[in-house]
């Protein structure tokens, strides 16, 4: 981990590479494309067995939770490696929403209630979700519920992984962040483009919640970490698309020669490779800045999202096209990656919103 004010470390440590290998092996065994597609066709898109293996078996749900609270006491760098691999597999688990976003919100809240909930989330047996629309940028406005006579009332839309959550962290108009039992609210699934990360509308009707702390700083911290580490998920997704496109073009033959030998396709792959490499640098910078608590974290996160989102979409679109007819079929998994990439491109702020935020941060306003 780099100290504040030093150059960012964009390389992977031996421990991070070992973590990557372990996560990839687990996903190879438990998250093959056929299983993911089958889940998207069912009423239960989330994979509880895979989540249990990741959280209880490997302790990954508590990477960002301090050891004294039952977590691993790791940093955002390790969480970023996990998200790269989850992105490569479009794994239908609530890791980003629970182990990163909800956890970061709780880390910003003082008191024993938040600490106890952190311990529960670190175990993986409890899944949390921040009740803020997935499309909300770190510095963007978000909807709240009313708090009257000790009860919460209101409706929140676009909440990612709400259907899988056991506890919801609900921001209220009085400025507080409240923990609400998911069974006490009405969660209505909505049709979403990305079937592996479903959205829902949460209706809170005279529900009592436990105040954990101030919503403002907790939500900003959570969304900043979510946006920064989402870039690593997008990196993993783009890297898979590039790798599979290259593999297919080496195997597919036309005019008795591999399709990948045609110069026009070589140029497209070379361009995509450059974009993926640049995305890796941006994503690693964001993860390193978050881990170090750098003063430039906002800039690093804005740069990462402004660059990674369109690259992931481009990589997925290229993979669909370069796979030819098979890429257009439901049975081939590449459509899962295109849908995840498109959904991720508006998650935690669009690339345009992050470019505007970057301009403000570096004092480079448009004329």
């Amino acid at each position: 981990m780099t100290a504040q004010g030093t150059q960012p470390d964009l390389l992977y440590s031996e421990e991070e590479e070992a973590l990557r290998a372990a996560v990839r092996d687990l996903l190879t065994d438990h998250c093959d494309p056929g299983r993911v597609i089958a889940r998207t066709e069912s009423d239960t898109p989330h994979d509880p067995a895979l989540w249990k293996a990741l959280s209880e078996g490997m302790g990954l749900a508590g990477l960002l939770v301090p050891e004294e609270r039952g977590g691993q006491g790791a940093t955002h760098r390790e969480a970023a490696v996990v998200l790269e691999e989850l992105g490569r597999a479009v794994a239908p688990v609530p890791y980003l929403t629970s182990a990163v976003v909800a956890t970061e919100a709780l880390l910003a809240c003082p008191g024993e209630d938040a600490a106890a909930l952190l311990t529960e989330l670190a175990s993986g047996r409890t899944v949390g979700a921040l009740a803020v629309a997935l499309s909300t940028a770190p510095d963007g406005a978000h909807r709240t519920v009313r708090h009257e006579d000790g009860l919460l009332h209101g409706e929140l839309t676009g909440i990612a992984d709400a259907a899988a959550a056991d506890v919801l962290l609900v921001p209220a108009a009085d400025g507080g962040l409240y923990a609400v039992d998911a069974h006490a609210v009405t969660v209505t699934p909505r049709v979403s483009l990305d079937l592996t990360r479903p959205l829902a509308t949460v209706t809170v009707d005279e529900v009592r919640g436990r105040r954990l702390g101030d919503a403002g700083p907790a939500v900003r911290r959570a969304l900043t970490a979510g946006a920064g580490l989402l870039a690593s998920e997008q990196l993993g997704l783009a890297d898979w698309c590039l790798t599979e496109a290259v593999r297919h073009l080496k195997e597919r033959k036309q005019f008795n020669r591999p399709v990948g030998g045609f110069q026009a396709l070589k140029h497209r792959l070379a361009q995509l490779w450059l974009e993926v490499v640049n995305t890796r640098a941006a994503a690693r910078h964001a993860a390193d800045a978050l881990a170090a608590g750098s003063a430039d974290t906002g800039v690093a996160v804005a740069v990462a999202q402004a660059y990674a989102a369109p690259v992931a979409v481009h990589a997925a679109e290229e993979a669909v096209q370069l796979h030819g007819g098979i890429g257009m079929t439901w049975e081939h998994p590449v459509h899962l990656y295109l849908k995840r990439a498109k959904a991720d491109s508006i998650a935690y702020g669009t690339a345009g919103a992050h470019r505007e935020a970057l301009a403000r941060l570096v004092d480079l306003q448009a004329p």
Side-chain angles (χ1 to χ4, degrees):
M1 183 172 66
T2 59
Q4 186 169 338
T6 63
Q7 291 297 319
D9 182 4
L10 306 185
L11 302 179
Y12 299 95
S13 67
E14 291 184 6
E15 292 79 7
E16 289 164 356
E17 290 292 3
L19 175 61
R20 178 196 307 283
V23 175
R24 187 174 295 189
D25 287 346
L26 176 66
L27 293 174
T28 299
D29 293 338
H30 295 88
C31 193
D32 60 88
R35 292 189 189 185
V36 178
I37 293 175
R39 284 212 161 268
T40 64
E41 297 172 329
S42 71
D43 295 329
T44 55
H46 290 103
D47 189 340
L50 176 60
W51 175 248
K52 183 176 182 180
L54 289 167
S55 58
E56 297 184 28
M58 299 185 68
L60 299 183
L63 277 183
L64 299 179
V65 179
E67 292 184 43
E68 60 269 20
R69 294 300 179 187
Q72 303 299 319
T75 73
H76 300 81
R77 291 175 60 91
E78 288 79 16
V81 170
V82 174
L83 280 164
E84 281 184 40
E85 294 307 310
L86 295 179
R88 286 181 63 89
V90 285
V93 292
Y95 187 85
L96 180 64
T97 48
S98 181
V100 175
V101 176
T103 295
E104 286 285 340
L106 290 173
L107 287 169
C109 298
E112 284 304 313
D113 282 345
L117 194 50
L118 265 177
T119 301
E120 294 178 23
L121 262 60
S123 71
R125 290 185 288 273
T126 297
V127 174
L130 180 65
V132 172
L134 181 64
S135 59
T136 307
D139 59 350
H142 58 84
R143 296 183 64 176
T144 59
V145 299
R146 302 191 316 277
H147 184 259
E148 298 175 357
D149 301 324
L151 299 177
L152 301 173
H153 315 258
E155 183 178 272
L156 301 167
T157 59
I159 311 303
D161 292 335
D166 301 297
V167 62
L168 294 166
L169 307 181
V170 181
D174 69 346
L177 185 68
Y178 291 83
V180 175
D181 189 337
H183 299 293
V185 305
T186 301
V187 177
T188 307
R190 299 301 183 193
V191 177
S192 55
L193 178 63
D194 180 9
L195 301 177
T196 62
R197 181 174 288 148
L199 305 178
T201 296
V202 174
T203 303
V204 183
D205 187 14
E206 296 186 354
V207 174
R208 192 173 300 277
R210 292 173 291 153
R211 181 172 178 131
L212 302 172
D214 295 334
V219 170
R220 281 194 299 273
R221 173 171 176 168
L223 297 184
T224 298
L229 294 186
L230 177 63
S232 291
E233 178 183 288
Q234 291 163 323
L235 166 62
L237 184 155
D239 191 56
W240 182 91
C241 290
L242 173 61
T243 301
E244 286 302 303
V246 170
R247 182 192 61 77
H248 177 73
L249 294 181
K250 284 182 177 180
E251 296 175 354
R252 179 79 168 90
K253 291 187 177 181
Q254 193 173 48
F255 305 115
N256 204 31
R257 61 180 290 191
V259 175
F262 293 103
Q263 190 174 41
L265 298 186
K266 286 182 179 181
H267 288 174
R268 290 171 67 173
L269 292 172
Q271 176 61 37
L272 189 56
W273 180 82
L274 286 173
E275 292 178 5
V276 171
V277 169
N278 290 337
T279 299
R280 178 172 289 108
R284 292 304 293 168
H285 184 201
D288 189 71
L290 285 163
S294 170
D296 292 330
T297 296
V299 172
V301 169
V303 168
Q305 268 308 301
Y307 192 83
V311 168
V313 172
H314 180 219
E317 290 174 343
E318 287 286 76
V320 170
Q321 292 184 20
L322 294 175
H323 273 83
I326 193 174
M328 306 295 176
T329 63
W330 181 266
E331 288 74 18
H332 195 279
V334 70
H335 67 90
L336 296 174
Y337 292 81
L338 179 58
K339 292 169 184 174
R340 171 66 71 88
K342 293 291 286 186
D344 280 357
S345 70
I346 61 172
Y348 306 120
T350 63
H354 284 284
R355 283 193 292 269
E356 291 178 3
L358 178 61
R360 291 193 300 270
L361 289 168
V362 300
D363 194 23
L364 186 62
Q365 300 300 317

